[in-house]
Amino acid sequence: METNNEEKGKCPFGKDVQVPKVDFTNPEFIQNPFPVYAYMRERSPIKKVSFGNGQAFWMVTKYEDAIQIFRNPIFVKDIRKVTPQEGKESAMNSSMLFSHHLLNMDPPEHTKMKRLIQKAFTPKLVEKMRPQIQKMANDLIDVKVATANSMDIISEYALPLPISIISELLGIPSKDKELFRRWANIILNIDSNVSAEERMALIPSAIQGFTEYLHQILDERRKQPKEDLITALLQAQEEDENLNEQELLSTIFLLFAAGYETSVNLIGNGILLLIENPSQLDKLRQNPTLIHSAIEEMLRKDPPVLLASERYPIEDTEINGTLIPKGELVLICIGSANHDECKFMEPDKFDIERKDNKHLSFGSGIHFCTGASLGKVEAEIAICTLLERFPHFSLAENTVLKFKMNSIMRGLEKLPIVFTTADHSVLEV
Ligand code: HEM
């Protein structure tokens, strides 16, 4: 965002301080976007900004405006509803092959599909996963206990856990989960180590690999049903003739894609918040029953998803005094809404006992996250297990923390910690 020069001097950060800018290509902004959000909430709560690639969108930064848009059916998800007739085909290009899913649907298709997924993705199923998540967390830590007094929380703990769980839930054999992750990363553009050119070159083979693999697994499950989500979706499909193969593929893709990077970020960002706030870490150690409100506070304070998915008004719409023209892209900034001082007392404070913590980290309205309870259970178990096994830990020496250069998600590249004793001496292996 280029902010007008005349706004200089009125900046809440001091008269001569440069007005902060939204710049998704600027590592400083990515590391800590919250002061920029605060400025926007105060000065231009709904503002047209641009991604590094030039794509413009309306960024919504205040809590009440966010809620209004999340719940307003004028803001649709299916881009074809706001695309002129002649552009409809290209609006569905190849990278949208897996886009026939919930996040790009409006009622009545969305209602039907969500019911179907919820039928398969039940709270009972999530509860059934608890012992498995616990075992996996124990195993990952056991490996460390035996071999080292340090660990990269992201690659050695936060990442393997949700990937294994979502693969297990879907019924993807464990030997293939890395392959699945690589394809999803390319298609969804969430690997900051891959350049835009590399990604463009890799997309066709990722789409082909993914499609062939899924067709094969669907065939196998049709012949031999198992107790997994893919089988449950197939059964639901058979009961509902309107669900086509493309929707089925897209849904499996969405569940996998939405089900791991988000949870990895919650675990990583959450553990970092505890390290940065030793009094809160201490409180949680003394009273582990605070884990539920601690997870909610982690979700609020440093949300895994900063920008909600695309929405488009089907007519010119005024929100809080700003006119958003028909068909223009609108993104709700969850990261900012969660820090809105009109909604949360001392929003920048990390308080694991915060009351009335109605953050927007899982969205709101009809697109509210299907996997919210699974994501929370994963983080709860991961963090409690780490604290039980290693009550004391600190950042490894000389660590420079870096958040991934990603405009949508907020997650650390690495989080190296060392296990210590209560008096901060490094544990002997
Ligand atoms: C901490 C973890 C997670 C966070 C922070 C998160 C965040 C979100 C957000 C913000 C949305 C709404 C987007 C919008 O309205 O634009 C969403 C939707 C969704 N999430 Fe999650 N998610 C998490 C975990 C999961 C998991 C584990 C799964 C599944 C395995 C999942 C599946 C979905 C699905 C299917 C939707 C689309 C719902 C709809 O359109 O009706 N999420 N998630």
Side-chain angles (χ1 to χ4, degrees), residues 70 77 101-105 110 114 117 121 166 169 229 251 254-256 258-266 299 303-305 307-311 332 334 360-372 374-376 378-379:
F70 269 132
K77 307 280 291 150
H101 59 59
L102 285 177
L103 281 173
N104 294 324
M105 285 178 180
H110 176 269
K114 190 133 186 177
I117 292 183
F121 202 96
I166 191 65
L169 265 176
L229 210 49
T251 300
L254 172 68
L255 286 173
F256 184 81
Y260 87 96
E261 178 86 353
T262 45
S263 299
V264 176
N265 292 350
L266 175 55
L299 280 158
V305 180
L307 289 174
S309 57
E310 294 89 344
R311 286 167 167 80
I332 293 165
I334 293 171
L360 296 180
S361 295
F362 292 114
S364 179
I366 61 167
H367 291 278
F368 186 84
C369 176
T370 313
L374 176 62
K376 287 198 272 192
E378 286 172 345

Side-chain angles (χ1 to χ4, degrees), residues 24 27 35 54 65 71 112 178 234-235 247 286 306 338 417:
F24 295 101
D65 298 343
R71 299 188 182 168
K112 182 194 79 176
E178 261 309 305
L234 270 174
Q235 282 162 353
E247 288 170 336
Q286 307 298 330
L306 287 175
N338 279 358
I417 61 165

Side-chain angles (χ1 to χ4, degrees), residues 131-151 153 156-157 160-161 381-382 385-390 419 427-429:
Q132 232 154 320
I133 303 173
Q134 185 62 65
K135 179 173 182 320
M136 227 168 261
N138 286 340
D139 290 351
L140 288 167
I141 291 212
D142 282 343
V143 172
K144 282 290 127 187
V145 175
T147 58
N149 56 13
S150 62
M151 165 184 229
I153 287 289
E156 297 181 284
Y157 195 53
L161 199 70
I381 293 179
T385 309
L386 181 71
L387 285 180
E388 270 161 36
R389 303 287 297 274
F390 293 106
F419 304 124
L427 278 187
E428 298 290 330
V429 186

Side-chain angles (χ1 to χ4, degrees), residues 81-82 312-317 324-329:
K81 290 190 178 144
V82 293
Y312 309 89
I314 39 170
E315 55 193 57
D316 292 356
T317 305
I324 307 182
K326 172 185 171 179
E328 294 202 357
L329 175 61

